[in-house]
């Protein structure tokens, strides 16, 4: 995963590496991640909402393609010093999540909390891969709990909205709520994963000032 060039050593070694970093609070990462992913999620869910593809397997593949193609670009705003490299990484980590979810969903035929179990395994894989890619060697459990909690809250809020509203509007609301929670969790993880880089830059800045 270090081959994506997102670790502190890789970022700081590049000619265009930042000598200082723009301030980015955890709250900004949460809000921006939620809103940007929420928009992408509405677009992805529209495939289901308007029944643009009838075959279930093809429909899920198309939805995953929308997520992979757009979310990496949307969330790259949160990546410091290596924004252009992030979409390729996100494609890998989201594919891992999607494969895990589909294995449980189709394997259990949508029963026995298949979606919840698939999400848990997929989000754990996503968290681990992001930590590895950014060179974050601690805090896996906290990152996973935050991502799983926010993702699950968004998903089940969306399900409740779909049940209450129904139809295409309900499906789009499900997509928006799911994306809001999922994106907020990803924003939080991206902020945490870049702590080593921020610390390195801060130390270098202090040394230069001294």
């Amino acid at each position: 995963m270090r081959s994506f060039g997102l670790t502190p050593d890789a970022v700081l070694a590049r000619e265009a590496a930042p000598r200082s970093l723009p301030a980015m609070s955890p709250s900004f990462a949460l809000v921006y991640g939620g809103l940007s992913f929420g928009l992408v999620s509405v677009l992805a869910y529209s495939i289901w909402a308007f029944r643009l593809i009838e075959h279930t397997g093809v429909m899920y593949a198309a939805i995953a393609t929308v997520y992979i193609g757009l979310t990496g670009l949307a969330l790259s705003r949160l990546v410091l010093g290596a924004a252009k490299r992030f979409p390729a990484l996100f494609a890998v980590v989201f594919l891992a999540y999607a494969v895990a979810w589909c294995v449980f969903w189709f394997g259990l035929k949508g029963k026995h909390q298949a979606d919840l179990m698939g999400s848990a395994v997929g989000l754990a894989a996503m968290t681990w891969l992001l930590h590895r890619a950014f060179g974050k060697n601690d805090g896996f459990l906290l990152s996973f709990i935050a991502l799983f909690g926010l993702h699950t809250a968004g998903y089940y809020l969306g399900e409740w909205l779909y049940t209450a509203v129904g139809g295409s509007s309900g499906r789009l609301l499900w997509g928006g709520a799911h994306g809001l929670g999922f994106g907020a969790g990803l924003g939080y993880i991206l902020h945490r994963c870049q702590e080593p880089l921020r610390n390195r830059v801060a130390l270098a800045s202090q040394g230069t000032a001294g």
Side-chain angles (χ1 to χ4, degrees):
M1 297 304 293
R2 294 176 184 269
S3 62
F4 287 98
L6 295 166
T7 62
D9 287 340
V11 172
L12 295 173
R14 288 193 291 271
E15 184 177 350
R19 297 295 175 242
S20 63
L21 295 174
M24 187 178 297
S25 66
S27 58
F28 174 82
L30 280 163
V31 172
Y32 179 85
L35 292 177
S36 60
F37 199 174
L39 177 59
V40 172
S41 190
V42 169
L43 294 175
Y45 268 65
S46 68
I47 296 174
W48 172 49
F50 300 113
R51 304 187 184 280
L52 300 180
I53 298 174
E54 292 297 330
H55 188 276
T56 302
V58 178
M59 180 186 70
Y60 281 128
I63 291 172
T65 300
V66 172
Y67 277 123
I68 290 172
L70 297 180
T71 308
L73 293 172
L75 294 181
S76 63
R77 168 71 174 82
L78 300 176
V79 179
L80 305 169
K84 293 181 180 179
R85 296 171 177 262
F86 180 70
L89 169 65
F90 186 80
V92 172
V93 299
F94 190 86
L95 184 61
Y97 161 81
V99 168
W101 191 91
C102 287
V103 166
F104 278 88
W105 179 258
F106 290 110
L108 295 175
K109 299 180 180 179
K111 301 176 182 178
H112 312 297
Q113 298 294 319
D115 51 354
L116 186 63
M117 289 190 287
S119 294
V121 174
L123 294 171
M126 179 177 276
T127 302
W128 185 82
L129 291 170
L130 286 171
H131 271 241
R132 291 284 296 172
F134 283 96
K136 174 75 169 166
N137 297 318
D138 60 354
F140 166 83
L141 185 59
L142 180 58
S143 292
F144 169 69
I145 290 172
L147 179 59
F148 180 74
L150 288 166
H151 169 277
T152 303
Y155 182 83
Y156 286 110
L157 172 61
E159 184 180 45
W160 179 83
L161 289 170
Y162 170 62
T163 301
V165 176
S168 297
S169 296
R171 295 184 181 100
L172 293 176
L173 286 171
W174 193 345
H178 184 198
L180 187 65
F182 201 167
L186 285 170
Y188 174 79
I189 285 187
L190 289 176
H191 190 272
R192 292 198 77 230
C193 282
Q194 293 174 96
E195 286 175 352
L197 174 59
R198 289 193 298 272
N199 292 339
R200 289 274 297 275
V201 171
L203 287 173
S205 299
Q206 291 172 6
T208 301

